[in-house]
């Protein structure tokens, strides 16, 4: 039974930590030039500051979600928050690049432990017909943090130094820890049997796959890179076969999750969204900082309307999605996002006025709230409570893997397009300041970004198609006893 007390205070407590860890995925990019100079490293070292966090974040997500079911989501969340906060302190005090990379790895591990627990607590404290606004807030925080990162990061780097993008997490983490201890309820742990083989196979498979994809462009997609990717896929196939084995009484990823049509389609949609928004941030900041010579703060402020609109509308869209057919709100969001993405790309010129960029970005903010807010609610609505952690782990793993795929594909595509246009020197470095580019090179970069926009548009079209196939879900009256199977029956008879 759920606690009769209001479930909102626990959610507010969890949002503090979730905002912090999501923010850390984007805030570091702004500090890369300062880290490179201050720690006397090279571009590869700076790249690994982000890569180490991402790899250690994505690989354990599936395990962390299931462990929350076994040992209690509150316990796992607190452990992850303590680890993340201590690792943030270590990052801020690092005096060498290797120290920083190791600390970032522990930071990513702490974030991985925390992330699935936030969705699990929402699923276990809110009845199905009330989860929309709650997961709307959760999704809005994710979208907002990913776009606020560059603005806040630019301010901290310019005013206090790069160390403070990490040190600022320490007081926030302590506040979040106190709030979670006081406000988040404890849930009885479930079956404590461990699927050791599943843990090893899932972690190794995701690690190999993500590493290969993320580093592929850096190694020119060599045979070694493809070997790593193929090995990762083979290990993941072995993991799925292990999960399906009849003798496995404690599967890490219960395959009955995928009997729920809406769970599968929502995961497909959020992976497309993760890849698409990665294209937007990578291409957008490349254009603003390289072609337009904007500072980190100014370029971040250009994206401010998107972040503000997303934060304002996400809870409202989550509530609206509860009242309408599941396909309506996310379907509208994907369609709007595709239109706005094409619009944004079409106006990218070296001399485009900022207001011309703000209009499509504002539309994207509205579309963002239609996707980030409803999809997690749709994905988890029909899952039984004992599978809440497993479902959260799968959802977050797929979301973040989509972002990694989007990052790799965007970098490779823009680089290829630049080479095809004759700008080999720029493509070889993949970076540079506006003052280093000729007028012709700026035109070439804008043209490459415009041409690459068809990638996210196609991905968003897949998301729209997935949304169009969503089924009407179980009624609120079935909320306490809903299961995957009853959810399917409700969808079939709707």
């Amino acid at each position: 039974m759920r606690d009769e007390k209001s479930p909102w205070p626990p959610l507010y407590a969890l949002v503090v930590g979730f905002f912090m860890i999501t923010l850390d995925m984007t805030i570091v990019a702004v500090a890369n030039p300062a880290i490179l100079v201050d720690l006397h490293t090279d571009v590869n070292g700076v790249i690994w500051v982000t890569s180490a966090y991402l790899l250690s974040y994505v690989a354990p997500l599936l395990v962390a979600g299931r462990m929350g079911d076994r040992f209690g989501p509150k316990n796992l969340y607190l452990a992850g928050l303590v680890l993340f906060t201590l690792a943030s302190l270590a990052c801020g005090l690092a005096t060498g690049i290797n120290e920083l990379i190791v600390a970032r790895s522990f930071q990513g591990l702490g974030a991985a432990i925390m992330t699935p627990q936030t969705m699990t607590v929402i699923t276990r404290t809110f009845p199905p017909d009330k989860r929309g606004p709650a997961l709307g807030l959760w999704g809005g925080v994710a979208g907002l943090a990913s776009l606020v990162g560059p603005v806040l990061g630019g301010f901290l780097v310019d005013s206090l130094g790069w160390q403070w993008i990490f040190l600022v997490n320490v007081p926030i983490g302590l506040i979040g820890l106190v709030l979670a201890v006081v406000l988040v309820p404890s849930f009885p742990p479930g079956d404590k049997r461990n699927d050791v083989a599943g843990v090893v196979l899932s972690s190794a498979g995701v690690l190999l796959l993500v590493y290969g994809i993320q580093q592929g462009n850096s190694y020119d997609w060599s045979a070694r890179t493809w070997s790593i990717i193929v090995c990762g896929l083979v290990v993941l196939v072995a993991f799925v076969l292990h999960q399906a084995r009849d003798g496995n009484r404690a599967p890490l990823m219960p395959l009955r999750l995928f009997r729920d049509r809406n769970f599968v389609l929502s995961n497909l949609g959020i992976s497309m969204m993760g890849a698409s928004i990665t294209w937007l941030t990578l291409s957008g900041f490349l254009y603003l900082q390289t072609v337009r010579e904007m500072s980190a703060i100014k370029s971040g402020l250009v994206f401010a309307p998107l972040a503000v609109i997303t934060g304002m509308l996400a809870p409202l869209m989550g509530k609206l999605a509860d009242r309408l057919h599941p396909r309506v709100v996310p379907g509208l969001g994907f369609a709007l996002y595709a239109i706005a993405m094409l619009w944004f790309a079409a106006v990218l010129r070296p001399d485009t006025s900022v207001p011309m960029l703000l209009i499509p970005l504002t539309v994207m903010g509205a579309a963002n709230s239609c996707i980030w807010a409803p999809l997690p609610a749709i994905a988890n609505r029909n899952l039984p409570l004992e599978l809440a952690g497993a479902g959260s782990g799968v959802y977050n793993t797929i979301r973040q893997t989509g972002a990694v795929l989007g990052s790799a594909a965007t970098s490779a595509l823009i680089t290829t397009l630049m080479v095809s246009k004759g700008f080999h020197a720029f493509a070889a470095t993949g970076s540079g300041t506006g003052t280093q580019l000729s007028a012709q090179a700026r035109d070439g970069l804008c043209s490459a970004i415009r041409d690459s926009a068809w990638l996210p548009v196609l991905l968003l079209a897949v998301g729209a198609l997935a949304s169009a196939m969503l089924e009407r879900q179980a009624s609120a009256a079935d909320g306490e006893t809903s299961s995957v199977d009853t959810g399917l029956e409700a969808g079939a008879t709707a």
Side-chain angles (χ1 to χ4, degrees):
M1 296 294 291
R2 292 185 174 86
D3 198 326
E4 294 300 324
K5 295 180 181 178
S6 171
W8 285 99
L11 177 58
Y12 297 146
L14 294 173
V15 159
V16 174
F18 185 59
F19 181 85
M20 182 174 63
I21 60 179
T22 309
L23 190 74
D24 246 58
M25 294 180 193
T26 56
I27 196 172
V28 176
V30 180
N32 281 343
I35 293 173
L36 188 148
V37 173
D38 195 43
L39 297 185
H40 308 289
T41 186
D42 54 18
V43 173
N44 187 60
V46 168
I47 289 174
W48 266 104
V49 172
T50 298
S51 298
Y53 180 88
L54 192 58
L55 289 171
S56 61
Y57 175 76
V58 177
L61 273 173
L62 195 59
V63 179
R66 196 54 169 159
M67 290 302 100
D69 285 336
R70 303 290 173 81
F71 304 107
K74 179 177 181 177
N75 296 331
L76 267 290
Y77 179 85
L78 293 175
L81 183 54
V82 169
L83 179 57
F84 184 90
T85 304
L86 291 175
S88 296
L89 178 62
C91 288
L93 299 177
T95 56
I97 191 64
N98 291 331
E99 294 175 38
L100 181 57
I101 290 172
V102 171
R104 282 284 282 170
S105 298
F106 282 102
Q107 206 182 26
L109 179 59
I113 295 172
M114 293 169 62
T115 300
Q117 317 315 326
T118 58
M119 281 184 66
T120 301
V121 171
I122 292 172
T123 302
R124 297 182 69 166
T125 54
F126 286 84
D129 60 325
K130 302 295 183 182
R131 285 180 200 153
L135 285 166
L137 177 61
W138 183 88
V141 165
L144 185 65
S146 64
L147 296 165
V148 168
V151 182
L152 179 60
F155 171 77
L156 291 174
V157 171
D158 289 348
S159 58
L160 298 174
W162 65 265
Q163 293 86 348
W164 280 92
I165 65 173
F166 302 112
L167 294 177
V168 72
N169 291 333
V170 177
I172 297 176
L174 293 175
I175 293 172
L177 187 65
V178 172
L179 291 175
V181 169
V182 175
L183 298 177
V184 177
S186 296
F187 298 97
D191 187 352
K192 291 190 176 182
R193 290 177 295 177
N194 293 316
D195 181 9
V196 177
V199 170
V200 173
L201 289 172
S202 66
S203 299
V206 172
L207 184 63
L208 288 168
L209 180 63
V210 172
Y211 174 80
I213 293 170
Q214 188 177 354
Q215 299 299 114
N217 199 50
S218 300
Y219 293 100
D220 200 24
W221 299 99
S222 63
R224 173 178 174 271
T225 298
W226 284 110
S227 297
I228 293 173
I229 293 174
V230 170
C231 285
L233 291 173
V234 170
V235 174
L236 287 176
V237 169
F239 166 70
V240 173
L241 293 175
H242 171 69
Q243 298 301 287
R245 193 167 53 88
D246 290 338
N248 188 354
R249 301 302 180 188
L252 185 64
M253 184 182 72
L255 295 186
R256 60 191 177 114
L257 285 170
F258 299 97
R259 297 176 191 168
D260 186 337
R261 176 179 180 142
N262 284 1
F263 180 80
V264 174
L265 292 172
S266 296
N267 276 274
L268 175 60
I270 201 62
S271 67
M272 297 298 101
M273 184 59 183
S276 300
I277 202 167
T278 300
W279 178 92
L280 177 64
T281 53
L282 287 176
S283 301
F285 285 111
L286 179 64
Y287 164 78
L288 293 171
Q289 295 184 16
T290 302
V291 176
R292 303 300 296 271
E293 305 177 36
M294 289 186 181
S295 66
I297 296 178
K298 288 183 179 179
S299 59
L301 288 173
V302 173
F303 278 81
L306 195 162
V308 171
I309 295 296
T310 297
M312 290 175 58
L313 294 182
L316 176 63
M317 289 302 171
K319 187 175 183 178
L320 183 63
D322 277 344
R323 300 177 178 177
L324 302 175
H325 194 289
R327 66 172 65 111
V328 174
V329 176
L332 174 64
F334 278 111
L336 273 179
Y337 220 116
I339 294 170
M341 194 77 81
L342 281 175
W343 185 357
F344 178 76
V347 299
L348 285 186
R349 299 288 189 281
D351 58 351
T352 302
S353 65
V354 172
M356 286 294 291
L357 300 174
L358 294 180
I359 298 173
L361 286 173
T362 301
V363 176
M364 287 183 201
N368 218 22
S369 65
C370 293
I371 299 169
W372 287 105
L375 281 185
I378 294 169
N380 286 276
R381 184 180 179 101
N382 289 334
L383 299 184
L385 296 183
E386 66 270 16
L387 293 183
S392 299
V394 171
Y395 184 88
N396 283 285
T397 300
I398 291 177
R399 171 178 64 88
Q400 197 57 40
T401 302
V404 174
L405 288 168
S407 176
T410 298
S411 299
L413 185 56
I414 291 179
T415 298
T416 301
L417 289 170
M418 287 298 292
V419 170
S420 70
K421 296 175 188 298
F423 300 105
H424 300 270
F426 178 85
T429 60
S431 60
T433 63
T435 56
Q436 294 175 330
L437 294 182
S438 64
Q440 186 182 13
R442 295 185 191 190
D443 285 335
L445 179 56
C446 287
S447 177
I449 293 175
R450 286 197 301 271
D451 292 346
S452 71
W454 287 105
L455 170 64
V457 170
L458 289 174
L459 296 177
L460 290 167
V462 173
L465 180 61
S467 298
M469 297 169 66
L470 290 168
E471 297 179 321
R472 191 176 299 278
Q473 299 174 295
S475 65
D478 298 327
E480 290 294 333
T481 58
S482 68
S483 68
V484 176
D485 294 329
T486 56
L488 286 173
E489 292 170 5
T493 58

